[in-house]
């Protein structure tokens, strides 16, 4: 058995180009923040992780890292305990994010040390490829003050949403389609869904208003959505409100907002608030925590998929290894990956085949850090001046007077 104690942890904040994508909270800024985590174990083996790059997470990682030196790389109970001790006031939302950031790198390091893939360490591969969905956004043509836009152009109407979908599906082969909503009046966004249905008659559709609709608004529109959606994601805010809506419809409600922590499971599931949970190893506490969440969902007959945020390839392959080892993954996963042009792994961006990702060859996660790109994206972080995500502030550059209120409609 190889020696696998942690000898060093390195965290590098990075920033990469992000399009002006719209959501209920506002508009994506010109750069998205991430952190790249390297866990070095005995023998010089380095495992990789990727997580959030905001100040709170970076500070949490900085506080926890010294306490993890000497810990066995698979002592996950010790990882949780020491991270909890390191983070001020035992922040219940921050601790799982710090654990998740380090834990993925631990699995990667152990996989490299034992010549095993992460999916095999998580219980074994149950699917050859992992399906992802086409994640559609309303968007501006360019960032405020920019001289030119991106290849996607402006997307603010149902017709433009359909063209965006065609472009993404032609490029990547996705089958399921998700529309990020809560930007315009619900009637306009539902019109976009109908336009998508006309253009893609067989595609599973889902819409995510990000908690932007009041309960009465959601109830009003349920008849129009019945038979149109495979699920309705977070139309409104909170477990009680979601439970009220779910009781009124056969459309499965999904969430990555009202059940996002183990403490939310008992109240959320007992209230019947949702029928689908979108897991995310970045904030649930890593890959093992999400496998445990999958078993809970199976026991409660709750559907399971994966949430996404702006991310690069290390996060994508971690999601894919987890999905490949999760028998009851019942819906195609979300991913922002087609929206990103930068990459921090050797070989450049990973390719989807027929809407799915095949796991890379090799032990661990199967990817290697491109150190030149890491240095470039770290310099971008230092130069861009962004340390905390502020979609509302960015939106006010385009729409003065915008307020990020939830629910809005």
């Amino acid at each position: 058995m190889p020696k696998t104690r942690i000898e060093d942890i390195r965290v590098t904040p990075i920033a990469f180009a992000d399009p002006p994508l719209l959501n209920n909270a506002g508009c994506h800024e010109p750069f998205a923040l991430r952190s790249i985590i390297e866990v070095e174990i005995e023998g010089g083996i380095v495992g990789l992780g990727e997580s959030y790059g905001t100040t709170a997470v970076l500070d949490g990682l900085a506080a926890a890292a010294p306490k993890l030196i000497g810990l066995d790389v698979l002592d996950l109970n010790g990882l949780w305990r020491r991270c909890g001790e390191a983070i001020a006031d035992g922040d219940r939302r921050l601790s799982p994010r710090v654990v998740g950031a380090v834990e993925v790198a631990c699995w990667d390091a152990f996989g490299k040390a034992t010549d095993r893939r992460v999916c095999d360490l998580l219980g074994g591969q149950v699917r050859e490829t992992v399906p992802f969905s086409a994640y559609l956004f309303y968007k501006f043509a360019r960032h405020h003050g920019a001289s030119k836009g991106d290849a996607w152009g402006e997307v603010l109407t149902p017709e433009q949403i359909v063209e965006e979908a065609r472009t993404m599906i032609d490029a990547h082969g996705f089958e399921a389609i998700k529309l990020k909503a809560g930007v315009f009046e619900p009637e306009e966004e539902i019109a976009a869904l109908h336009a998508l249905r006309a253009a893609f008659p067989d595609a599973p559709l889902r819409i995510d208003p990000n908690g932007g609709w009041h309960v009465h608004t959601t109830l009003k529109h349920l008849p129009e959505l019945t038979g149109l959606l495979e699920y309705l994601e977070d139309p409104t805010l909170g477990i009680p409100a979601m439970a009220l809506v779910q009781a009124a419809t056969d459309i499965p409600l999904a969430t990555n907002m009202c059940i996002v922590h183990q403490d939310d499971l008992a109240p959320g599931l007992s209230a019947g608030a949702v029928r689908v949970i979108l897991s995310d190893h970045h904030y649930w506490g890593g890959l093992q925590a999400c496998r445990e969440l999958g078993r809970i969902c199976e026991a409660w007959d709750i559907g399971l998929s994966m949430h996404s945020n702006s991310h690069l390839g290390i996060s994508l392959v971690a999601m894919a290894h987890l999905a490949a080892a999760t028998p009851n993954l019942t819906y195609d996963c979300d991913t922002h990956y087609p929206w990103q042009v930068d990459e921090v792994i050797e070989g450049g961006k990973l390719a989807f085949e027929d809407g799915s990702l095949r796991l890379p060859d090799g032990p661990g996660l199967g990817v290697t850090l491109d150190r030149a790109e890491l240095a470039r994206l770290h310099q971008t972080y230092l130069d861009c001046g962004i340390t905390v995500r502020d979609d509302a502030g960015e939106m006010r550059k385009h729409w003065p007077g915008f307020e990020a209120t939830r629910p809005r409609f």
Side-chain angles (χ1 to χ4, degrees):
M1 188 73 174
K3 296 180 179 180
T4 55
R5 294 194 178 277
I6 296 173
E7 292 193 330
D8 192 21
I9 296 178
R10 298 181 289 274
V11 179
T12 306
I14 63 171
F16 55 86
D18 208 21
L21 307 178
L22 307 185
N23 56 66
N24 184 259
C27 175
H28 284 207
E29 295 170 281
F31 298 97
L33 306 179
R34 298 296 272 180
S35 55
I36 302 302
I37 297 89
E38 300 176 72
V39 171
E40 183 172 342
I41 62 174
E42 295 169 283
I45 294 172
V46 177
L48 302 177
E50 176 189 336
S51 189
Y52 308 102
T54 56
T55 298
V57 172
L58 293 174
D59 288 349
L61 286 166
K67 296 181 178 295
L68 302 177
I69 304 304
L71 188 72
D72 187 87
V73 78
L74 281 194
D75 183 359
L76 301 185
N77 290 328
L79 174 62
W80 277 95
R81 184 180 63 255
R82 294 189 188 190
C83 286
E85 292 169 352
I87 293 169
D89 302 320
D91 188 320
R92 66 186 286 271
R93 301 292 176 177
L94 180 58
S95 289
R97 285 164 167 75
V98 172
V99 170
V102 176
E103 188 243 32
V104 171
C106 288
W107 284 114
D108 186 38
F110 188 79
K112 290 173 178 174
T114 58
D115 198 30
R116 304 295 300 278
R117 299 180 305 167
V118 168
C119 66
D120 297 322
L121 299 174
L122 294 174
Q125 187 173 6
V126 297
R127 54 182 55 84
E128 288 298 316
T129 60
V130 176
F132 288 85
S133 64
Y135 201 163
L136 308 182
F137 284 81
Y138 293 102
K139 65 182 295 293
F140 295 128
R142 61 183 62 83
H143 281 289
H144 184 268
S147 59
K148 63 179 181 178
D150 53 53
W152 296 93
E154 180 183 86
V155 182
L156 299 175
T157 68
E159 295 77 17
Q160 290 171 326
I161 283 288
V162 169
E163 287 308 306
E164 180 181 275
R166 289 191 195 282
T167 300
M168 191 171 289
I169 290 170
D170 286 348
H172 304 292
F174 301 124
E175 295 183 359
I177 299 173
K178 172 176 173 174
L179 175 62
K180 177 65 79 176
V183 178
F184 299 110
E185 292 287 341
E187 292 81 0
E188 186 170 347
E189 296 177 341
I190 292 171
L193 284 177
H194 284 290
L196 288 167
R197 171 55 69 235
F200 303 96
D202 300 321
L205 298 180
R206 52 186 85 156
I207 186 171
D208 174 17
N210 260 164
W213 297 353
H214 286 280
V215 170
H216 68 267
T217 302
T218 308
L219 294 174
K220 171 186 172 183
H221 290 292
L222 286 179
E224 303 168 72
L225 299 173
T226 300
L228 185 61
L229 300 176
E230 65 170 349
Y231 64 67
L232 172 58
E233 181 181 342
D234 289 311
T236 193
L237 282 180
I239 288 170
M242 289 283 283
L244 194 156
V245 174
Q246 185 65 90
T249 183
D250 290 332
I251 303 170
L253 295 194
T255 191
N256 74 284
M257 294 180 71
C258 74
I259 301 178
V260 296
H261 186 276
Q262 62 181 8
D263 292 350
D264 302 324
L265 285 166
L269 297 183
S270 61
V274 300
R275 295 180 188 166
V276 182
I277 293 177
L278 305 185
S279 69
D280 188 326
H281 71 267
H282 301 92
Y283 63 72
W284 272 96
L287 305 180
Q288 184 187 58
C290 285
R291 282 292 292 115
E292 293 169 354
L293 174 63
R295 294 186 182 99
I296 292 169
C297 288
E298 187 173 26
W300 280 77
D301 196 24
I302 297 292
L304 182 68
S305 188
M306 285 190 189
H307 168 256
S308 166
N309 212 320
S310 298
H311 64 85
L312 297 180
I314 297 172
S315 282
L316 182 64
V317 294
M319 293 169 66
H321 276 273
L322 173 61
T326 303
N328 58 314
L329 186 77
T330 44
Y331 295 93
D332 295 357
C333 302
D334 291 346
T335 181
H336 286 60
Y337 198 64
W339 292 105
Q340 266 63 73
V341 296
D342 293 313
E343 186 49 278
V344 75
I345 57 175
E346 288 187 351
K349 286 181 66 67
L350 299 163
F352 296 100
E353 300 174 10
D354 298 323
S356 296
L357 187 71
R358 188 174 296 278
L359 298 183
D361 294 329
L365 294 175
V367 295
T368 304
L369 199 56
D370 184 328
R371 295 205 169 272
E373 284 300 292
L374 178 68
R376 182 180 71 83
L377 295 177
H378 177 58
Q379 188 61 51
T380 301
Y381 170 82
L382 297 174
D383 294 341
C384 75
I386 300 172
T387 57
V388 177
R389 180 174 172 176
D390 183 12
D391 287 16
E394 189 68 21
M395 183 68 114
R396 282 191 283 273
K397 298 176 184 177
H398 300 267
W399 292 351
F402 173 83
E403 294 295 334
T405 55
R406 282 193 180 120
R408 177 177 296 118
F409 302 106

